[in-house]
Amino acid sequence: GESVGLHLPTLSVQEGDNSIINCAYSNSASDYFIWYKQESGKGPQFIIDIRSNMDKRQGQRVTVLLNKTVKHLSLQIAATQPGDSAVYFCAENNGGGADGLTFGKGTHLIIQP
Amino acid sequence: DAGVIQSPRHEVTEMGQEVTLRCKPISGHNSLFWYRQTMMRGLELLIYFNNNVPIDDSGMPEDRFSAKMPNASFSTLKIQPSEPRDSAVYFCASSLGLFGGASDTQYFGPGTRLTVL
C-alpha cells in the first residue's frame, strides 16, 4: 500500500538569494531555541541559538529572529550557497526543565543553481 | 576535536536478532540522548541520561528497547528482538547539561542506519 510519511515543507531558492525558514514553537515556557541543519546522511548540526531575552541574533550569514508573542522563530540565510541545501530543524528547551529539547518536523531547503 | 562517535554506521540484521548500538559522547558532556529518525515520525527522543543516570525513558517504544550508560564515556542502545519496524537511523547526542542556556545545545553523532529484514 501507499506509505504515508512526513510531508516536510520545502523551500526552493536560487543560489545567491536570501532564504527565510520559519518555525512555530509550542511551549510558552521555552526560553532557549536552537536551529539545526541536517544534510543527507548526516546527523543534525548546530547552527545558531537564541535565548528568550533576545529577539535577534546574528551569526555568519545566518540570523535568527524570535517573536515570543506569537511563538514564532525564523532562520534567515543570506546569499545561499549549494552547501546550504539541507533539512533545517528548530528546537525549543521547554523551559529548561527535565524534558530536554523538542524538535520541529523540519523544512527542506533546496538551492537551485 | 572529536565529536560524538557512534558505531556501527550501518547495521543490517534479520528479524528476531539482537542489535546493539554504541555511542561515545563528547568528553566533558554530562548529558547523553538517544534519538530515532524515520520518514514517518521524524526525530524522536527515546531516552536521555544525565551523569550516567537515565532521566526519562518515556520515549522508548517497547520493552524490546533498553539503554545503558555504564560510564561517562560510553552508552549502548539495545533492541532485542529486533523487528522490521525498528528500521531507522538512530542518533546519539550529548550536551554539557540539561539546564541553562548554552549547556542545552546538543551535539549529534553521525547516526547508525539500522535495517531489519
Side-chain angles (χ1 to χ4, degrees):
Chain A
E2 180 181 2
S3 63
V4 178
L6 281 179
H7 294 287
L8 290 181
T10 297
L11 176 64
S12 184
V13 300
Q14 292 291 125
E15 182 178 349
D17 287 352
N18 299 332
S19 64
I20 300 176
I21 301 170
N22 295 304
C23 176
Y25 64 93
S26 57
N27 192 333
S28 57
S30 293
D31 58 8
Y32 180 64
F33 306 88
I34 307 166
W35 278 101
Y36 285 90
K37 171 187 179 183
Q38 186 175 21
E39 297 175 89
S40 180
K42 297 183 179 180
Q45 178 186 12
F46 171 86
I47 302 175
I48 191 169
D49 58 2
I50 188 168
R51 293 198 61 85
S52 60
N53 60 352
M54 303 172 69
D55 54 20
K56 180 179 180 179
R57 189 168 187 216
Q58 288 185 293
Q60 187 176 20
R61 284 203 305 120
V62 295
T63 301
V64 55
L65 299 177
L66 175 63
N67 185 331
K68 295 181 290 293
T69 302
V70 295
K71 292 191 288 187
H72 184 267
L73 198 64
S74 67
L75 177 70
Q76 299 178 359
I77 304 175
T80 53
Q81 303 168 358
D84 294 330
S85 292
V87 176
Y88 290 80
F89 295 93
C90 65
E92 58 182 306
N93 79 332
N94 300 300
D99 293 335
L101 296 178
T102 297
F103 287 82
K105 296 301 183 186
T107 296
H108 190 187
L109 177 65
I110 298 172
I111 308 301
Q112 301 204 355
Chain B
D1 290 339
V4 175
I5 299 172
Q6 291 187 248
S7 65
R9 293 295 310 277
H10 302 274
E11 177 81 32
V12 179
T13 190
E14 292 185 346
M15 182 174 63
Q17 296 297 307
E18 175 181 303
V19 175
T20 299
L21 311 181
R22 297 172 177 80
C23 175
K24 176 179 169 56
I26 293 172
S27 178
H29 280 191
N30 298 314
S31 296
L32 183 142
F33 306 80
W34 281 102
Y35 290 89
R36 177 172 67 177
Q37 188 176 46
T38 62
M39 286 298 297
M40 293 289 291
R41 302 173 68 91
L43 195 63
E44 301 175 276
L45 176 65
L46 300 178
I47 185 172
Y48 66 85
F49 296 83
N50 184 250
N51 293 322
N52 312 338
V53 176
I55 302 300
D56 184 359
D57 64 355
S58 60
M60 297 285 261
E62 303 174 28
D63 290 345
R64 298 184 296 107
F65 286 68
S66 63
K68 294 182 180 180
M69 192 165 185
N71 57 63
S73 60
F74 184 67
S75 177
T76 59
L77 177 67
K78 184 179 293 186
I79 308 172
Q80 180 185 20
S82 58
E83 297 182 3
R85 60 193 169 118
D86 301 330
S87 297
V89 180
Y90 290 81
F91 288 104
C92 176
S94 70
S95 72
L96 283 171
L98 286 177
F99 308 110
S103 62
D104 282 346
T105 303
Q106 296 178 21
Y107 297 88
F108 284 76
T112 296
R113 181 172 294 276
L114 173 65
T115 302
V116 183
L117 303 175

